[in-house]
């Protein structure tokens, strides 16, 4: 059975996005990156374990797939951008009740109750399912108890206020799977639910 892996950039004080326009991430997905080589390698290693990427409609329409598709073409031989090539190759699933068809390659649209659709994805064969945000979509997955593994990329910054992903999920305990600091200042921590929290069912 597949796992749903949620990977998020986060500040030290637990925000995944700021209310003000601060440059707080060590890498904001452009050509300039402050990530060290070890972090780049470990980040790419995650993509070798997944074969499906779950996206919100908003993230798809805001250009996630186009951006990384262009990066894969721009850096075809750069080992750091192997993940971008993997994004192009992987199956993409967009959860939306507003889109009827997909306009992106290797991408399909699913509609209806999110827990039901995620359960169907998990029952497939192959690698795991990755989710990379945004904040509202990630928050809905957390609140519904759908996340099997959290990968939190904690940047060396404090935002003070902003957007969170755990506000709606209520209390839960997590089990630490691993935590690793990097020379650039990033700390990546991996967690799983500490016990079998039942998936919240929705309408059939």
């Amino acid at each position: 059975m597949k796992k749903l892996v949620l990977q998020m950039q986060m500040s030290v004080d637990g925000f995944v996005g700021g209310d003000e326009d601060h440059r707080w991430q060590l890498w904001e997905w452009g050509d300039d990156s402050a990530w060290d080589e070890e972090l780049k390698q470990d980040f790419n290693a995650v993509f070798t374990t997944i074969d499906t990427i779950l996206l919100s409609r908003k993230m798809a329409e805001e250009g996630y797939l186009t951006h990384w598709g262009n990066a894969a073409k721009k850096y075809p031989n750069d080992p750091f951008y192997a993940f971008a090539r993997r994004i192009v190759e992987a199956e993409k699933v967009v959860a939306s009740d507003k889109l009827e068809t997909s306009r992106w390659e290797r991408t399909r649209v699913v509609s209806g109750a999110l827990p039901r659709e995620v359960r169907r994805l998990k029952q497939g064969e192959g690698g795991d399912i990755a989710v990379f945000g945004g904040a509202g979509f990630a928050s809905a997955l957390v609140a519904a108890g759908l996340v099997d593994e959290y990968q939190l990329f904690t940047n060396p910054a404090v935002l003070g206020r902003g957007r969170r992903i755990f506000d709606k999920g209520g209390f839960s305990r997590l089990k630490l799977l691993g935590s690793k600091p990097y020379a650039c200042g990033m700390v990546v921590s991996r967690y799983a639910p500490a016990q079998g929290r039942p998936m919240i069912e929705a309408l059939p």
Side-chain angles (χ1 to χ4, degrees), residues 74-189:
K74 186 176 181 180
Y75 303 103
N77 300 311
D78 188 329
F80 176 34
Y81 284 91
F83 75 88
R85 297 188 286 275
R86 185 67 185 135
I87 290 172
V88 172
E89 295 166 357
E91 177 188 13
K92 275 79 66 177
V93 178
V94 178
S96 173
D97 287 330
K98 296 182 178 180
L99 293 176
E100 293 184 0
T101 59
S102 168
R103 56 178 180 269
W104 305 278
E105 291 185 6
R106 296 187 183 87
T107 305
R108 61 188 175 92
V109 174
V110 297
S111 61
L114 187 59
R116 182 189 65 202
E117 296 304 326
V118 170
R119 183 173 67 244
R120 287 176 176 171
L121 289 175
K122 289 184 179 185
Q123 290 173 347
E125 299 292 332
D128 291 329
I129 307 159
V131 180
F132 304 107
F137 189 53
S139 180
L141 292 168
V142 171
L146 298 172
V147 179
D148 300 301
E149 181 177 327
Y150 298 93
Q151 296 180 358
L152 306 179
F153 283 57
T154 305
N155 289 259
V158 174
L159 294 179
R161 59 183 181 179
R163 296 181 294 280
R164 299 184 185 272
I165 62 170
F166 294 106
D167 287 357
K168 298 177 181 179
F171 176 80
S172 63
R173 294 189 182 277
L174 301 177
K175 175 174 63 177
L176 181 65
L177 301 177
S179 184
K180 186 174 181 179
Y182 292 88
C184 63
M186 185 80 78
V187 177
V188 178
S189 300

Side-chain angles (χ1 to χ4, degrees), residues 2 6 21 32 42 60 64-65 68 76 88 101 104 112 119 121 140 142 172 204:
K2 294 172 176 280
L6 174 63
D21 190 21
D32 297 326
D42 289 352
Y64 176 90
L65 298 176
W68 294 121
V88 172
T101 59
W104 305 278
R119 183 173 67 244
L121 289 175
V142 171
S172 63

